[in-house]
Amino acid sequence: MFIVYDIVWVICFIFSAIAVGLSVFVIYNHLRHYTEPRYQKPIIRILLMVPIYSIDSWLSLTFPKAAVYFDVLRDCYEAYVLYQFFVLLVQFCDGETILIAFLEDKESMSHPWPFCCLPKIPLGKKFFIWCKACILQFVIVNPFTAVIAMILEACGVYDSGSFSPTKGYIYLAVVTNTSITIALYFLVLFYMALQDELKPFRPVPKFLCIKAVIFFTFWQDVLIGFLVWVGLITTTSKDYPIDVESTYIEDGIVCIEMLFISIAMAYAFGYEQYRNLEMKPLMDQISVSPASVVTPVLKNFGDVMNVRDVVNDTVDVFGHIVKKDDDEFENVPFGHFNEDDDDDDNDVDNNEKKSSKKSKYRIPKPGGTRLEGTAINPGKSGDYGGISKEYDSYQN
């Protein structure tokens, strides 16, 4: 029996090592050619998903009885990646301020099937805030349920893969599934509202890569747990109880899947369009000064790992709703929307002012340079999460 486990362990190690190697290669080149931080920061954070998943799952295979503790990091990063994809889409649309201006200029949108019978969704600032909030809730809920799972496991009442009402797994699975469904649905709504503007950036393959990882890892766990519950998966090893056995199977599948996901992500999130053509070849730089290669890469990686922007977004979205009065922004409690929008729409002068302002906003082409901006947290021009008040700077 242990020979089978050893063979699986070796195969998963090979698949994981190749996946990590390919992802690290793409990440390194993004860091070396860090020419568009507003795009590449969320892209690199997304690409880190493969190394984290691969290493985490392989460690779970190596120490199967501690798998639930390793998986806490994986589950936390899963939610983080989903939000980073949303951030990337916002940056593709040239920041929150310009994106909201485009949304406010669009007609109401129908829900996708099977909810097409519901009332149409008015697009604008409210729609954007709700999309952001419903995606961010997954960033909060998923780590919370992962920590609860770790505590329940330590108390002996979690029992991964068990559908018994006396165990904690089934309840946390329901909470997690509800949270991720809400996040994915609002991400789809957001894409539907801006699919024409986002088309040049090929968002569909990027979204499919992320959705495949989240979908497969969660539902594989549920399916394997169900097969264990109905008795189709059993264990013959005294050293590996059935809950450990089911986790071992899931982590082994994830290790193999990550190789194919890494290939897809290398295609969807490639670095080629961000290359600095004026940069000297790598070996020439190393021969002159190795520090000239290492130092910028490490500095850029530190910028990627700084999560201040995510913390600020979370505080801003769940603490406040933005109310815009011309170019000034004031904070009002979240959930209390501005009901004067309809009256403003009847004001001809306001419409003319808004139209003249929107006419300055253009979606940048792939590879183009733009300032970053947010309507939630105005800051200095050029900072991540900041918007310049000089709107003319957005013009070519």
Side-chain angles (χ1 to χ4, degrees):
M1 187 65 183
F2 282 100
I3 295 177
V4 175
Y5 283 110
D6 291 339
I7 294 174
V8 171
W9 184 87
V10 171
I11 292 174
C12 291
F13 172 79
I14 294 172
F15 274 77
S16 296
I18 298 174
V20 170
L22 177 58
S23 297
V24 168
F25 172 78
V26 179
I27 291 169
Y28 165 76
N29 279 286
H30 270 291
L31 293 171
R32 185 165 181 260
H33 301 275
Y34 201 55
T35 57
E36 290 283 354
R38 62 180 304 188
Y39 301 144
Q40 291 175 280
K41 181 185 288 188
I43 285 175
I44 294 170
R45 289 170 172 174
I46 292 169
L47 288 170
L48 283 169
M49 187 180 200
V50 171
I52 289 175
Y53 267 59
S54 299
I55 295 172
D56 176 275
S57 297
W58 182 75
L59 286 174
S60 296
L61 289 176
T62 307
F63 308 101
K65 294 183 180 180
V68 67
Y69 304 108
F70 290 122
D71 291 346
V72 169
L73 173 62
R74 190 177 75 185
D75 293 339
C76 293
Y77 205 79
E78 175 184 70
Y80 181 66
V81 163
L82 189 65
Y83 180 67
Q84 286 305 308
F85 180 68
F86 173 77
V87 170
L88 181 61
L89 296 183
V90 172
Q91 293 304 321
F92 281 158
C93 290
D94 215 15
E96 293 181 0
T97 299
I98 294 178
L99 184 152
I100 291 173
F102 273 101
L103 287 174
E104 290 177 344
D105 208 25
K106 291 176 176 286
E107 297 180 355
S108 297
M109 179 183 69
S110 299
H111 285 268
W113 186 89
F115 304 110
C116 48
C117 58
L118 296 176
K120 288 188 175 183
I121 308 169
L123 302 181
K125 190 191 310 175
K126 300 175 188 177
F127 170 75
F128 174 77
I129 296 297
W130 274 107
C131 285
K132 194 171 187 178
C134 289
I135 295 171
L136 266 174
Q137 58 82 25
F138 184 52
V139 180
I140 298 173
V141 171
N142 210 35
F144 178 75
T145 56
V147 172
I148 294 296
M150 184 174 63
I151 296 173
L152 293 178
E153 178 69 17
C155 297
V157 293
Y158 179 62
D159 199 4
S160 178
S162 172
F163 284 76
S164 172
T166 61
K167 303 296 182 180
Y169 171 81
I170 187 172
Y171 302 107
L172 292 183
V174 170
V175 172
T176 302
N177 184 46
T178 302
S179 177
I180 193 173
T181 301
I182 293 173
L184 287 174
Y185 184 70
F186 274 86
L187 188 60
V188 169
L189 289 179
F190 182 77
Y191 168 72
M192 288 175 58
L194 294 159
Q195 56 184 329
D196 292 334
E197 289 80 5
L198 292 170
K199 189 177 296 183
F201 298 93
R202 300 187 301 118
V204 175
K206 295 176 174 64
F207 176 66
L208 291 178
C209 286
I210 297 170
K211 187 176 180 180
V213 176
I214 296 175
F215 178 84
F216 285 125
T217 53
F218 177 78
W219 286 107
Q220 278 171 183
D221 182 38
V222 174
L223 177 60
I224 293 172
F226 177 76
L227 294 177
V228 169
W229 186 57
V230 298
L232 294 178
I233 295 179
T234 58
T235 181
T236 58
S237 173
K238 296 180 180 179
D239 296 319
Y240 292 97
I242 187 59
D243 60 327
V244 175
E245 182 89 6
S246 62
T247 304
Y248 193 93
I249 294 172
E250 184 203 352
D251 288 318
I253 295 174
V254 171
C255 286
I256 295 173
E257 288 172 344
M258 282 303 107
L259 174 58
F260 303 100
I261 294 295
S262 67
I263 296 172
M265 282 195 169
Y267 164 76
F269 298 97
Y271 69 93
E272 290 79 8
Q273 70 187 80
Y274 304 106
R275 291 183 62 183
N276 184 355
L277 299 179
E278 297 179 358
M279 184 177 291
K280 295 180 180 180
L282 178 61
M283 297 310 298
D284 291 348
Q285 284 187 292
I286 293 177
S287 62
V288 174
S289 174
S292 65
V293 177
V294 177
T295 303
V297 170
L298 292 179
K299 181 180 178 181
N300 295 336
F301 186 70
D303 180 53
V304 171
M305 298 305 292
N306 186 342
V307 296
R308 182 180 60 184
D309 55 304
V310 181
V311 175
N312 289 340
D313 277 351
T314 304
V315 173
D316 289 333
V317 169
F318 290 105
H320 302 85
I321 275 289
V322 176
K323 179 180 179 181
K324 182 176 178 182
D325 182 12
D326 291 333
D327 293 338
E328 298 296 326
F329 296 87
E330 68 175 285
N331 292 324
V332 297
F334 181 74
H336 291 75
F337 295 108
N338 179 19
E339 298 297 341
D340 297 331
D341 291 344
D342 294 336
D343 296 335
D344 291 340
D345 290 338
N346 296 326
D347 194 311
V348 177
D349 294 334
N350 284 347
N351 281 337
E352 290 178 354
K353 181 184 291 186
K354 288 163 69 176
S355 298
S356 63
K357 186 177 294 184
K358 291 173 191 173
S359 64
K360 298 181 180 181
Y361 298 155
R362 305 175 186 174
I363 297 297
K365 296 179 180 179
T369 301
R370 295 285 184 166
L371 297 176
E372 295 170 312
T374 169
I376 302 295
N377 187 22
K380 295 181 180 180
S381 173
D383 290 338
Y384 189 85
I387 179 66
S388 171
K389 291 185 179 180
E390 300 295 333
Y391 291 105
D392 290 339
S393 64
Y394 287 100
Q395 299 184 25
N396 289 328

